[in-house]
Amino acid sequence: MCLVDECRFLHLRKSLTVRSAEQAFDLLSARWPVSDGKAYIAAFEACEGVDDGHVSDESARQ
């Protein structure tokens, strides 16, 4: 799973480049089409962890 640092997400048929955990968090919070499932929850928690300082950027990217 790729969350931050030049990762591309397809959303509403547009490709978005996400350059930070903060940007990924905003995308997941406001613009992601679903808000459940294991992958969504893992991505959301990884972004929160980076913000809190408990997860490295490298770990969040995986």
Side-chain angles (χ1 to χ4, degrees), residues 5 7 10-11 13 15 18-19 22 28-30 32-33 35-36 38-39 42-43 51 53 57 59:
D5 192 40
C7 296
L10 290 177
H11 180 67
R13 298 183 186 163
S15 178
V18 178
R19 300 180 190 278
E22 180 181 1
L28 288 167
S29 298
W32 207 250
S35 60
D36 60 1
K38 289 181 183 180
D51 188 50
D57 287 336
S59 292

Side-chain angles (χ1 to χ4, degrees), residues 11-43:
H11 180 67
L12 300 176
R13 298 183 186 163
K14 293 181 183 178
S15 178
L16 303 173
T17 300
V18 178
R19 300 180 190 278
S20 69
E22 180 181 1
Q23 188 179 13
F25 182 85
D26 290 344
L27 177 65
L28 288 167
S29 298
R31 298 174 60 195
W32 207 250
V34 296
S35 60
D36 60 1
K38 289 181 183 180
Y40 174 86
I41 292 168

Side-chain angles (χ1 to χ4, degrees), residues 1-4 42 46-47 50 54-62:
M1 175 185 347
C2 192
L3 298 176
V4 296
C47 291
V50 170
H54 297 109
V55 175
S56 70
D57 287 336
E58 181 63 32
S59 292
R61 281 197 247 349
Q62 298 173 3

